Amino acid sequence: MRGKQSPAIKKSDDIRKSVIEHINSFPRVPSHYCRKDSKKEYLTSDLNISKMYQMYLENCKSNNIIPEKESFYRNILTKEFNIGFHVPRKDQCDKCYVFERLSAEDQEENREKHSNHLERKNQARSLRDSFKEKAQRGECYFIQFDLEAVRYCPANLNTKKFYYKRRLAVYNLTMYNVATTKAENFMWHEGIGGRGSTHVEGRIET
């Protein structure tokens, strides 16, 4: 009968289901970088596995359920879910961001393509510097646009119930006059509009 019986340490389906349901109770957001290259989703940056497990313990206590160990909870989260913790970062070139996270073999395969990309990037910077000098001399206008990294509102939560709520994504478009060093910011949340070109144009007009 070897191999016919379930191992004694194997958890029941009900136990696994309760852990999976708790992890699924946290709202997740798609990556706003490289969405077409990855299906990974993200939890908010103020969460971590230890904090999620403590909330799992509280949930089990309120429902009179015997909780599992943190190692079991962590194993399900890392092995059965393709999710991470969202960390707002400075805007970065999408192609460079993807290349840095490729395996060594894939990087070698795409080395020439990435080198050409870096060369074009350097040419663009040189052209930018030349226009900057012209703008400072009053020969033209030089305006820089930057749709910054997505932020989530409210940013800091002290009430654990809020971790189970979906927060608003907040967008910020900055327009910077290189010659005068003055900047204008246009901010809106996803309830008003998205990040598409028509939404951005509408925010500037209003």
Side-chain angles (χ1 to χ4, degrees), residues 3-180:
K4 302 296 183 180
Q5 297 179 347
S6 298
I9 60 173
K10 186 176 181 179
K11 304 295 183 181
S12 69
D13 291 338
D14 290 339
I15 292 175
R16 297 176 62 84
K17 183 179 178 180
S18 66
V19 173
I20 291 174
E21 286 179 349
H22 183 261
I23 295 173
N24 280 327
S25 66
F26 293 95
R28 301 193 289 272
V29 295
S31 172
H32 286 277
Y33 300 94
C34 316
R35 241 181 299 190
K36 64 181 180 180
D37 300 302
S38 174
K39 294 182 179 180
K40 191 170 187 176
E41 293 182 311
Y42 293 85
L43 299 167
T44 54
S45 58
D46 49 357
L47 273 177
N48 54 52
I49 298 179
S50 296
K51 187 176 292 185
M52 291 173 67
Y53 180 71
Q54 291 302 316
M55 296 168 71
Y56 163 73
L57 293 179
E58 293 178 6
N59 183 68
C60 289
K61 183 178 180 181
S62 63
N63 291 285
N64 295 319
I65 299 174
I66 300 175
E68 288 300 316
K69 293 181 178 179
E70 183 175 352
S71 57
F72 180 73
Y73 188 95
R74 183 183 296 269
N75 184 66
I76 290 183
L77 178 61
T78 56
K79 298 291 180 61
E80 300 189 22
F81 287 86
N82 187 24
I83 59 177
F85 296 96
H86 174 76
V87 180
R89 59 181 178 81
K90 294 182 179 179
D91 289 342
Q92 183 180 1
C93 170
D94 288 349
K95 292 184 178 180
C96 292
Y97 181 76
V98 173
F99 182 80
E100 290 174 1
R101 282 151 183 79
L102 292 175
S103 64
E105 182 179 349
D106 290 336
Q107 282 189 355
E108 191 61 34
E109 184 178 343
N110 292 275
R111 183 78 61 186
E112 183 177 353
K113 183 178 180 180
H114 184 63
S115 297
N116 293 334
H117 166 68
L118 293 178
E119 184 177 349
R120 291 194 300 272
K121 184 191 294 187
N122 292 331
Q123 291 174 353
R125 285 175 176 169
S126 298
L127 189 62
R128 178 201 62 188
D129 292 340
S130 66
F131 276 110
K132 180 179 179 179
E133 294 175 358
K134 290 182 179 180
Q136 291 172 339
R137 293 196 299 265
E139 299 176 8
C140 67
Y141 290 99
F142 187 4
I143 308 297
Q144 292 181 332
F145 297 83
D146 181 19
L147 185 58
E148 296 183 339
V150 178
R151 305 290 172 170
Y152 291 94
C153 182
N156 298 315
L157 300 174
N158 296 320
T159 305
K160 290 185 178 180
K161 289 184 178 180
F162 278 110
Y163 285 110
Y164 299 102
K165 307 295 182 182
R166 176 71 166 85
R167 288 188 250 175
L168 283 175
V170 179
Y171 312 115
N172 178 30
L173 175 68
T174 301
M175 297 174 59
Y176 177 72
N177 189 318
V178 176
T180 63

Side-chain angles (χ1 to χ4, degrees), residues 177-196:
N177 189 318
V178 176
T180 63
T181 67
K182 292 183 178 180
E184 291 186 69
N185 290 69
F186 301 86
M187 298 189 70
W188 69 98
H189 58 75
E190 62 181 334
I192 299 175
R195 287 158 46 97

